[in-house]
Amino acid sequence: MTQPATPAQQGGPDAGPAPAPHKTDSGPSASRGPSFFRWDVRTLSLIGVLLALAVVGGITKPDEFIATTNLQLILTQASVIGVVTVGVTFVIISGGIDLSVGAILALASVWCTTVATQEYGFWGILFTALIVGVGCGLVNGVLIAYGGLVPFIATLAMLASARGLALLITDGQTQIVTVPSVLDLGQRDSYVLGIPPLVLVFAAVVVIGWLVLNRTTFGRRTVAVGGNPEAARLAGIDVRRQRLYLYLLSGLCCGIAAFLLVILSGSGQNTNGNLYELDAIAAAIIGGTLLTGGRGTIVGSVLGVLIFTTITNIFALNNLQSDVQQIAKGAIIVAAVLVQRRTVRE
């Protein structure tokens, strides 16, 4: 005999609340549609800002700004800080910070341009730049992941130490590169279809960084650690090892950027990379990376780098003071953070 349905089953006035539907996603992915929409709007907004700057440059200095050589210069200058920003973006997404990237770049650039290193030629310079960057990243990662130091303090200590060591190596002097195969990469004869080699390296780093962040387990773990370290640990992620890998990645990017800067300037100096840490962090923030971690995009960070580089170029072409340029950058950073807070609340 069939039992009569209860009021709750019939959906009558005394029916209890309907069972909650089963959720297939949790966390940020649960609001996938709106979240992606907001990020698309942000990306389009950044592109709009970049186009607006291009219009300003074209109006104020039409002949100089749109010249092929100037556009190549903008992309070349963006390449060095852009590679650094890719590494910094990964670190910030994980909930960390790296204030030492500029100093690591300086140390790598002077170490790879010593007379002893240059005797090993192109590959000796490249290898030294990379290994110094990775070594500094290893120290940062061990201190933070296994030593329990706050990222701000650990990387601040590395900033001071790396700058001091760079000054000790150079004794305050500029180290001139004498290896032809390195210097030739900065000449127009080495351009590929009008594109400088530095820009090609930058593009490769960006593509690899995007793929790693969006298409690999490493990228998903990075976002998970930044979103909720304890939940990531309970999910089976080795949070400490992941953080170590991220600072190694940041150091590797600094080593690559140091080699690009050596090609661009033809020298190694202890003042290289000055304030790069602030520019890289600012570019990542403008691009949508949350300082609290758990969210960020490589594309947005690249657009942030291009915006800053274009602003610098326009100011230089119009002979405007650098202090005005810094004020403009500060205003852009504040605006980007305010937009971030509003986006998170939504």
Side-chain angles (χ1 to χ4, degrees):
M1 177 181 294
T2 304
Q3 296 294 329
T6 63
Q9 293 171 332
Q10 293 174 349
D14 296 329
H22 177 67
K23 295 182 180 181
T24 58
D25 295 308
S26 62
S29 59
S31 56
R32 183 170 299 173
S35 177
F36 278 174
F37 177 76
R38 285 198 298 268
W39 288 122
D40 288 343
V41 170
R42 180 187 295 277
T43 301
L44 292 175
S45 300
L46 292 173
I47 294 175
V49 171
L50 190 58
L51 292 176
L53 290 173
V55 171
V56 172
I59 293 176
T60 56
K61 291 291 182 179
D63 296 331
E64 294 91 339
F65 183 80
I66 62 175
T68 302
T69 54
N70 186 62
L71 297 179
Q72 291 172 336
L73 176 63
I74 293 176
L75 292 176
T76 301
Q77 292 176 337
S79 298
V80 179
I81 184 63
V83 171
V84 174
T85 302
V86 170
V88 168
T89 299
F90 273 89
V91 171
I92 297 179
I93 290 176
S94 72
I97 198 72
D98 194 345
L99 301 177
S100 63
V101 289
I104 294 175
L105 185 149
L107 178 59
S109 71
V110 301
W111 207 323
C112 75
T113 55
T114 60
V115 175
T117 303
Q118 292 192 52
E119 291 180 354
Y120 293 93
F122 178 93
W123 296 109
I125 294 176
L126 174 59
F127 176 78
T128 302
L130 296 180
I131 202 65
V132 170
V134 172
C136 292
L138 176 63
V139 173
N140 280 337
V142 169
L143 291 177
I144 294 168
Y146 296 95
L149 289 184
V150 177
F152 182 90
I153 300 300
T155 57
L156 186 62
M158 176 59 72
L159 183 155
S161 301
R163 283 288 178 192
L165 185 55
L167 179 60
L168 179 64
I169 292 175
T170 61
D171 195 24
Q173 304 297 316
T174 300
Q175 298 178 162
I176 305 299
V177 177
T178 59
V179 179
S181 56
V182 174
L183 298 175
D184 290 345
L185 291 177
Q187 304 301 318
R188 293 191 174 277
D189 293 340
S190 63
Y191 287 11
V192 179
L193 300 177
I195 303 176
L198 276 69
V199 178
L200 295 176
V201 173
F202 175 39
V205 171
V206 169
V207 171
I208 294 173
W210 186 90
L211 291 173
V212 170
L213 181 61
N214 296 280
R215 294 291 185 268
T216 67
T217 303
F218 182 88
R220 290 190 291 271
R221 289 176 177 173
T222 300
V223 175
V225 170
N228 191 325
E230 181 61 20
R233 185 187 67 81
L234 294 175
I237 298 176
D238 190 331
V239 175
R240 293 189 300 178
R241 185 172 61 185
Q242 184 70 18
R243 285 175 174 162
L244 173 62
Y245 289 162
L246 288 166
Y247 281 97
L248 285 173
L249 175 61
S250 180
L252 176 63
C253 288
C254 290
I256 296 173
F259 183 70
L260 297 182
L261 188 58
V262 167
I263 294 173
L264 185 62
S265 63
S267 63
Q269 304 177 53
N270 66 285
T271 56
N272 283 340
N274 188 34
L275 297 181
Y276 270 30
E277 56 277 358
L278 300 183
D279 287 344
I281 294 172
I285 294 173
I286 290 175
T289 302
L290 295 183
L291 277 173
T292 53
R295 186 178 300 174
T297 66
I298 298 297
V299 173
S301 296
V302 171
L303 290 174
V305 169
L306 293 176
I307 287 173
F308 273 153
T309 307
T310 304
I311 290 175
T312 302
N313 183 263
I314 292 175
F315 274 64
L317 290 178
N318 288 275
N319 296 319
L320 297 177
Q321 298 294 328
S322 59
D323 52 356
V324 180
Q325 172 185 326
Q326 297 301 325
I327 294 173
K329 285 185 177 181
I332 293 174
I333 294 171
V334 171
V337 173
L338 292 176
V339 171
Q340 272 193 2
R341 294 182 61 184
R342 181 175 180 181
T343 301
V344 171
R345 288 174 182 173
E346 294 175 356

